[in-house]
Amino acid sequence: MDTQSYLHYWGKGGGQGEFHRLVFHSLDVAACGQVLLRRHEPLRHLLALRLGLDDTTLHAWLVFMLALHDIGKFSFRFQCLRCDFPELANDLPLGCRPYHPRHDTLGQILWSNRLEAVVLARFVMQPAQSRQLKSALGLWMATATGHHGQPPQSRMQHANGLFTSADQDAAEAFCIDVGALLLDGCRLEITDATAFAKAIKPTSWWLAGIGVLCDWLGSNRDLFPFVQDAMPLAQYWREHALPAAERAIQQSGVIPIASSRCDQAPLFDFSQPTPLQRLAADTDLDEAPRLFIMEDVTGSGKTEAALTATHRILATGGADGLYIGLPTMATSNAMHARIQGKGIGSRLFADEPSLILTHSAARLLRDAPERAQILPGDAAEADYTDTEISAANLRANWISDHRKKALLADLGVGTIDQALLAVLPSRHQSLRLLGLARKVLIVDEVHAYDKYMQQLLVGLLRFQAHIGGQVILLSATLPQSMRQAFVDAFRSGLGVDSEQLQSTDYPLLTTIDAQGIEERQVATRPEVARALRVEMLGDTDAALRMLVEAHQANRCACWIRNSVDDAIEALEALQAVGVPGDKLELFHARFALGDRLDIEERVLANFGPESGPEQRAGRILVATQVVEQSLDLDFDAMITDLAPMDLVIQRAGRLHRHDRGTRPEPCLYVLSPEPTANAHGDWLAQLLPRTAAVYRNLAQLWRTAHLLREQGCIRMPEAARDLIEGVYGTDAMDAPDKVELASEPSQGDAQHKHSLGKYNTLRLERGYVQPEQDYWDDIKAPTRLGEDSVRLRLARWDGARLTPWCGDGALRDWAMSEVSIHAAWCSAVPEPDDPALREAMLTYEQTVPDKGRWSLLLPLRAVDEGRWETDVINSRGERTRLRYLVGRGLARERQG
C-alpha cells in the first residue's frame, strides 16, 4: 500500500487548475475542532460528561472523527468532478460514473465497509466488543460525514463500484496516519458498550453541530488558503492548519465571552424591583439545568425578571449566553432595539457581546450592519479581515451572515421560529442546537402558540434539558394543561419522571429541575393590579361612534380587528365619518415589508412609551393581531373584536399600560354578538364572519364572551386563572349544543396540529440519523401551520422600467418589496402582452440570487395616485385582480 497515495486526491477546487488537497482540507476542519474544544472548556466538559468520557479522550476523538469528515471524497466518483489537476497524478478509471450518492453518504459507506475495522483494530481498546460499540462509533462517524446539514443516508451498500481498490487503500492509509497524529496514543476504552451506545444517541445532535461549524470555518478559503505543495501531514498540521484555525475561531466569535459580575441595580437602572424581579434575584441558583415558568400580569416586568435570572445564571457559570425568542418579527425588532438601546448586553457580559437580530427579514432592517448579509446556500464565507472593524463587530459579522449561524451569538434576539428549526428536520438544524447549547433560552408569550408550535416547543425543551440548557418561559395567561406539558417535557429531557403541578395561584413562578418542582406565588404591584371594566358592543356603528368620540376628545385609540380585510374596512369607515386621514394609521401583515417596517416605526413613535401628547392627540390605530403581543404600546381607549380569552387579556394590556397622569377610567370595549344560551352555529358569523374563519373554535369564543359579559370586568391578577381555565380548562362550561357542534371541525384540526407537530419534531433519543421524513430547507420547514401562502415580490412597471416597490433596484430592495398572501389568491401571474415587460421580468429572474424560485414577481401598474393593480390567476384558474393601495396594503377584487 502506498502510504502517501492519499496526497493525490483533491478536496476543494477553485479556478482553472486551483485545488486544495483532500487531506489538507480534512486537517483544516479537524484543526477548527481542536482549537474550538481547547478554548471552549465548558462545552468540551459537557460533551465528555454526556458520553461518559474524560475530557482528553473526548477532545482527541472528536478531532480525529472530524479529520475523517470528507472520506467520501476519496471516491473516484467525486474525483471525476475535476480532471484539470495534473499535479495530483491520480489515475482515474475510464468512463467515470455519475457522482452519486453524495460524498457524505459515500463516507459512511466507506466507514462501514473498511475503516470501521481499521479504527477498532488500531485505536480502540478491546476491539472485540459488541455490536453496540460498532453502532455507537458508526453514529459518531455519521455526525462527521453528515456535515452538510443532515445525516448521511442510512444504507448498507458495498464500497465496490463506489471506490476503486486504490481509493480504499488511500483512505485507509490516511485514517491510520491521521489517527496516529491526532490521537497520539489516546486509545478509546469503553467498559460498558451498551451505556456508551445509549449515551451517544442523544448527544450526537451536538456532535453533528460541531461538524457543521468546523466544516464551514475550515472551508473559508480566506482563512485556509489552498496549499498545492505536497508535505507530510504533521508538517501541514503544525505550519498551516493549526495557525489558521486559531485565527478562524478567534474571528468567528464562537467562543463565549465572560459574564459581568455587576449586581441587579446597574443592570436595569431601577431602584424598586417588582415582586417577580425580586424573586428572580433571590432564587437559589447553580449550574444545574432549570426551567422557569414566569406567569404575571402585563406590565409586571417579566422580561426584566427573566434577564435578572439570566444574569445570575451567567454569573454562576450555568450558561454562556442567551437567546430571546418572540412570537413575531415586529416584537423581535422592538426587543432588539430595547436591548441595544439600554446597553443591556454590555452589562450582562464583561466585554461587548455579539448581539444579533435573527428572523427572516432581520438583514433588511435599516440599522443592520452593511457587512452582515446572509450568504446563499453553502457559498464561500465572506472576508472579514478588515482591520477597521471593531472586535465586537468582527465577532458579529461571521455569525450574522447566515440565520443558521445566528444562534451562535452571545446574545440573540429573534422569532421563536429560529429556535424551533433546531428540532425540525431542517438542514443544519444541528448547528442551531449547538448555538442554543449552554444558552439561556427565553421564550416570551408562550401562550400565543397553537397546538402545532406547542409540540415543537415541547420537543425543544427536551433537547435543551438534555444538553444542560436553561429555559425561561414567559406568559401573562398560560392554561394549566400547557404548563404541565412544558414541565413534563423538560423533566423528560433531564431523564427523570415528571410530577403533577399543584398550584393554581396567579401570578406564579414555577421552577423545574432534576430534583423536583417548586411553585411560588408572586405578589402583584398595586400599579398593575386593576379591575378593568368591559363593555360589549353589538354592532360596528357603536364601535365607530366610540372611536370618533375618543378622537374628538384628543384621546388616542386602537381598534384591534381579527382580519386584514376587516381592518381595511374599519379604516375606510372612520374616514367616511370624518376622521382626518393624518390621524389614522393602519397596521397589518399584508403590506410590503418595507412599508410594514415604516408603519411599525410610526406606531411605536405615536403610541409607544416615549410618545407624548403631540403624537397621541386624537390619533387612531386600526390594527390586526400584529399589536397584541410584546409590543410596548399604550392607548387611551380600545376596542377589540371578540377573540379567545387569552388574546383579549393580552390586548387589554395595551390599554392604559403606562402612567400618564389623569385619564378617564379605562374600559375595554368588545365587539361581539350576544352569547345567548340558545345560540346557533352561525352565532358569530352574523356580526364577525371573518373572525369565524380565523378563530374557528366557536365554543371557546362563546365561553369568552359569556365570561366577559357575566363578570363585566377583567380583574387582574385574582381572576386571571379563572378566566383562562373557564375557557380552556377541562372543567370549562359547555357552550350551547349547536355552537359545540359547529366547533367540532376546529377541535379536530387542533388534534391534527398536535399530531403533526409531534410527528415533525426530531426524536432526541434516536440520535443523528435519517428521520422518517425528508430534511427540508429552512424556507420550507414548517415552524407554523396555517393556510398555504405564496410570497409575492411587488414591482412597479411604468412602461419602461421594472423596479421594486420599495427602493430603486438594489437586491435588498426586492426583499423589502415582499409580501405573503393566501395561496388561493394567486397561483400564477399571466404572461404579459407587453414584450418590454416580458424582457424586464426575464432580466429580473436572471439577476436576483434565488432566480425567482421562492416568490412570484407581481408587476403593478399605476391606476391613479396611490393605487396600483395587476391581474393574476387564482387557485381555481380564474383571472383575479390584485391591487396595492398606499396606506392600505394588498387587497383583491374579482373582475366582472
Side-chain angles (χ1 to χ4, degrees):
M1 183 188 302
D2 180 3
T3 58
Q4 296 298 304
S5 61
Y6 51 70
L7 290 172
H8 299 158
Y9 291 77
W10 67 274
K12 294 286 183 181
Q16 186 66 30
E18 292 183 307
F19 66 89
H20 193 42
R21 296 178 189 270
L22 171 57
V23 295
F24 292 167
H25 168 65
S26 299
L27 289 177
D28 293 340
V29 173
C32 289
Q34 170 77 14
V35 176
L36 173 68
L37 290 186
R38 176 174 57 78
R39 295 187 56 188
H40 199 331
E41 180 182 354
L43 178 63
R44 183 183 74 239
H45 181 67
L46 178 62
L47 293 173
L49 186 67
R50 291 293 179 269
L51 293 179
L53 303 174
D54 62 82
D55 280 25
T56 301
T57 302
L58 178 278
H59 193 171
W61 272 80
L62 193 148
V63 172
F64 171 54
M65 288 297 195
L66 287 176
L68 302 180
H69 79 284
D70 260 352
I71 55 173
K73 290 183 177 179
F74 278 104
S75 169
F76 70 90
R77 294 187 179 221
F78 177 86
Q79 293 296 311
C80 283
L81 293 175
R82 294 289 295 269
C83 300
D84 56 335
F85 306 141
E87 298 94 331
L88 296 179
N90 190 16
D91 294 331
L92 296 173
L94 296 176
C96 273
R97 299 176 187 176
Y99 172 47
H100 181 78
R102 199 170 65 174
H103 64 270
D104 51 355
T105 298
L106 285 170
Q108 201 64 24
I109 292 171
L110 183 60
W111 168 267
S112 60
N113 278 265
R114 182 84 174 250
L115 300 188
E116 177 190 83
V118 174
V119 170
L120 285 170
R122 288 179 173 267
F123 305 121
V124 178
M125 299 286 287
Q126 303 165 328
Q129 290 199 53
S130 65
R131 287 183 303 173
Q132 283 93 332
L133 180 58
K134 292 183 178 180
S135 173
L137 289 178
L139 179 56
W140 198 340
M141 188 72 249
T143 68
T145 58
H147 57 274
H148 282 293
Q150 63 190 76
Q153 295 180 15
S154 47
R155 57 169 75 183
M156 291 304 296
Q157 188 172 345
H158 203 278
N160 293 340
L162 300 175
F163 298 83
T164 66
S165 59
D167 295 341
Q168 296 181 58
D169 290 344
E172 179 178 335
F174 172 66
C175 179
I176 293 170
D177 287 358
V178 82
L181 172 66
L182 300 180
L183 294 176
D184 192 24
C186 181
R187 293 169 69 88
L188 184 65
E189 184 173 8
I190 302 297
T191 57
D192 188 341
T194 301
F196 181 64
K198 182 178 180 180
I200 202 169
K201 284 184 177 181
T203 310
S204 64
W205 298 103
W206 290 271
L207 298 176
I210 292 175
V212 172
L213 173 62
C214 292
D215 183 64
W216 276 12
L217 288 170
S219 298
N220 186 333
R221 187 174 175 182
D222 296 311
L223 294 170
F224 295 87
F226 287 2
V227 174
Q228 299 188 183
D229 295 337
M231 65 184 73
L233 297 182
Q235 180 184 353
Y236 182 85
W237 176 254
R238 182 179 62 255
E239 297 179 1
H240 296 273
L242 283 176
E246 292 282 0
R247 293 190 298 271
I249 295 297
Q250 179 63 32
Q251 293 186 20
S252 69
V254 296
I255 302 299
I257 58 178
S259 70
S260 167
R261 301 283 174 165
C262 65
D263 59 22
Q264 185 184 359
L267 184 63
F268 293 108
D269 295 328
F270 53 52
S271 57
Q272 293 295 323
T274 68
L276 180 62
Q277 292 161 2
R278 191 175 299 112
L279 202 53
D282 295 340
T283 300
D284 291 334
L285 294 175
D286 54 32
E287 295 185 25
R290 280 183 178 81
L291 168 66
F292 301 87
I293 303 177
M294 297 181 177
E295 299 173 89
D296 206 343
V297 299
T298 300
S300 61
K302 291 187 291 296
T303 300
E304 288 79 4
L307 289 171
T308 297
T310 297
H311 180 228
R312 298 185 59 233
I313 293 167
L314 293 173
T316 65
D320 301 317
L322 70 151
Y323 181 77
I324 306 176
L326 296 124
T328 65
M329 288 192 297
T331 54
S332 303
N333 297 341
M335 181 62 72
H336 180 265
R338 183 176 173 188
I339 296 288
Q340 191 173 50
K342 294 188 176 183
I344 291 175
S346 60
R347 301 179 191 182
L348 286 170
F349 297 92
D351 253 332
E352 190 67 29
S354 52
L355 169 59
I356 302 298
L357 174 65
T358 173
H359 54 63
S360 60
R363 70 196 188 281
L364 305 174
L365 297 181
R366 291 174 180 80
D367 59 352
E370 193 63 32
R371 299 173 63 85
Q373 300 299 312
I374 289 178
L375 297 178
D378 291 329
E381 303 298 334
D383 179 7
Y384 298 134
T385 58
D386 189 341
T387 56
E388 298 301 315
I389 303 176
S390 70
N393 283 340
L394 190 63
R395 290 167 54 81
N397 277 326
W398 185 83
I399 289 173
S400 65
D401 70 359
H402 204 296
R403 285 202 308 276
K404 295 170 181 177
K405 302 175 192 170
L407 295 182
L408 296 166
D410 301 310
L411 201 171
V413 179
T415 55
I416 186 59
D417 306 69
Q418 301 304 317
L420 295 180
L421 283 167
V423 295
L424 282 170
S426 61
R427 292 190 66 219
H428 303 105
Q429 53 75 218
S430 61
L431 186 68
R432 295 178 186 273
L433 281 176
L434 179 65
L436 289 171
R438 291 196 51 79
K439 288 280 197 313
V440 179
L441 173 64
I442 300 175
V443 184
D444 200 4
E445 311 285 6
V446 291
H447 64 276
Y449 308 126
D450 65 11
K451 295 290 186 181
Y452 176 78
M453 294 184 73
Q454 287 174 31
Q455 282 303 301
L456 301 188
L457 182 55
V458 159
L460 183 59
L461 291 178
R462 289 196 189 98
F463 276 81
Q464 283 297 97
H466 176 79
I467 204 60
Q470 311 271 350
V471 182
I472 304 176
L473 305 180
L474 308 179
S475 178
T477 51
L478 192 63
Q480 192 83 342
S481 59
M482 195 183 300
R483 188 162 64 104
Q484 184 70 56
F486 294 150
V487 170
D488 294 346
F490 198 79
R491 297 270 294 179
S492 171
L494 293 174
V496 295
D497 293 335
S498 191
E499 297 179 13
Q500 196 68 28
L501 294 169
Q502 301 298 323
S503 177
T504 58
D505 291 332
Y506 182 90
L508 189 68
L509 173 62
T510 308
T511 307
I512 301 97
D513 58 22
Q515 307 307 313
I517 300 172
E518 184 178 13
E519 300 170 276
R520 285 178 287 180
Q521 186 174 9
V522 181
T524 301
R525 286 186 304 156
E527 304 95 283
V528 295
R530 64 177 178 174
L532 176 63
R533 187 163 57 91
V534 175
E535 286 191 17
M536 313 298 281
L537 301 178
D539 58 68
T540 56
D541 288 342
L544 291 172
R545 286 194 298 272
M546 196 282 290
L547 291 172
V548 169
E549 288 174 5
H551 164 71
Q552 292 173 343
N554 276 336
R555 291 183 291 149
C556 68
C558 179
W559 187 357
I560 303 181
R561 310 235 54 189
N562 293 330
S563 78
V564 174
D565 289 333
D566 281 340
I568 293 173
E569 289 176 5
L571 187 88
E572 292 171 346
L574 285 166
Q575 285 185 318
V577 296
V579 180
D582 63 347
K583 290 295 186 178
L584 292 170
E585 188 77 77
L586 181 65
F587 189 21
H588 58 69
R590 222 160 61 206
F591 284 101
L593 180 58
D595 290 346
R596 181 173 172 179
L597 292 174
D598 288 339
I599 295 168
E600 182 183 314
E601 288 183 6
R602 291 199 300 270
V603 166
L604 288 169
N606 291 327
F607 307 104
E610 305 302 322
S611 61
E614 184 177 344
Q615 291 90 8
R616 300 168 63 84
R619 195 174 298 277
I620 298 175
L621 174 67
V622 181
T624 59
Q625 295 88 337
V626 293
V627 299
E628 74 188 9
Q629 295 161 358
S630 295
L631 283 180
D632 192 357
L633 303 175
D634 177 21
F635 300 99
D636 300 327
M638 177 178 285
I639 300 174
T640 175
D641 291 354
L642 179 64
M645 181 65 80
D646 55 322
L647 302 184
V648 171
I649 293 175
Q650 283 296 116
R651 296 175 185 187
R654 275 71 192 154
L655 180 59
H656 288 212
R657 184 180 179 92
H658 296 291
D659 183 9
R660 296 183 181 274
T662 303
R663 287 192 276 188
E665 179 191 2
C667 177
L668 178 67
Y669 295 92
V670 180
L671 181 63
S672 169
E674 188 76 10
T676 59
N678 59 350
H680 291 263
D682 61 352
W683 158 77
L684 184 68
Q686 296 174 12
L687 177 62
L688 297 169
R690 296 188 182 105
T691 290
V694 175
Y695 302 116
R696 296 173 54 219
N697 192 321
L698 301 182
Q700 290 180 355
L701 292 173
W702 186 92
R703 286 194 287 269
T704 298
H706 175 80
L707 286 170
L708 292 174
R709 186 192 63 172
E710 181 180 66
Q711 299 197 11
C713 69
I714 299 175
R715 292 183 177 85
M716 297 295 282
E718 59 269 24
R721 192 76 76 190
D722 290 339
L723 290 174
I724 295 298
E725 295 303 316
V727 172
Y728 298 105
T730 55
D731 296 328
M733 70 177 297
D734 290 334
D737 290 345
K738 291 182 179 179
V739 175
E740 290 283 358
L741 183 64
S743 301
E744 288 182 359
S746 72
Q747 294 164 3
D749 180 60
Q751 184 58 46
H752 169 71
K753 289 180 177 179
H754 178 278
S755 300
L756 189 59
K758 196 171 183 179
Y759 172 77
N760 283 347
T761 303
L762 294 168
R763 307 291 188 269
L764 172 69
E765 65 279 0
R766 287 196 64 197
Y768 191 65
V769 296
Q770 279 287 338
E772 297 173 353
Q773 60 276 68
D774 293 333
Y775 264 63
W776 305 300
D777 289 324
D778 284 2
I779 200 165
K780 293 182 177 179
T783 54
R784 303 174 189 239
L785 294 183
E787 295 184 14
D788 291 340
S789 63
V790 61
R791 184 185 303 178
L792 302 178
R793 281 184 180 163
L794 308 184
R796 303 175 196 258
W797 173 247
D798 62 6
R801 290 183 67 226
L802 186 70
T803 57
W805 178 263
C806 299
D808 57 6
L811 293 179
R812 177 180 182 275
D813 295 334
W814 285 113
M816 292 289 279
S817 302
E818 291 178 355
V819 61
S820 293
I821 62 170
H822 296 305
W825 283 25
C826 178
S827 62
V829 177
E831 183 173 340
D833 297 329
D834 185 345
L837 178 55
R838 287 201 303 270
E839 181 66 25
M841 293 175 70
L842 181 61
T843 300
Y844 154 83
E845 289 185 1
Q846 295 170 344
T847 303
V848 294
D850 65 358
K851 308 303 180 187
R853 286 176 298 173
W854 306 119
S855 59
L856 289 176
L857 180 65
L858 200 68
L860 298 164
R861 296 176 175 85
V863 177
D864 50 42
E865 186 175 356
R867 179 187 177 100
W868 296 68
E869 295 181 346
T870 194
D871 288 349
V872 297
I873 305 299
N874 67 19
S875 59
R876 295 191 297 271
E878 301 167 338
R879 198 174 186 91
T880 304
R881 179 157 294 171
L882 295 184
R883 66 177 186 272
Y884 195 91
L885 284 79
V886 175
R888 299 287 188 279
L890 194 69
R892 63 173 175 171
E893 59 182 25
R894 194 176 303 275
Q895 283 187 298

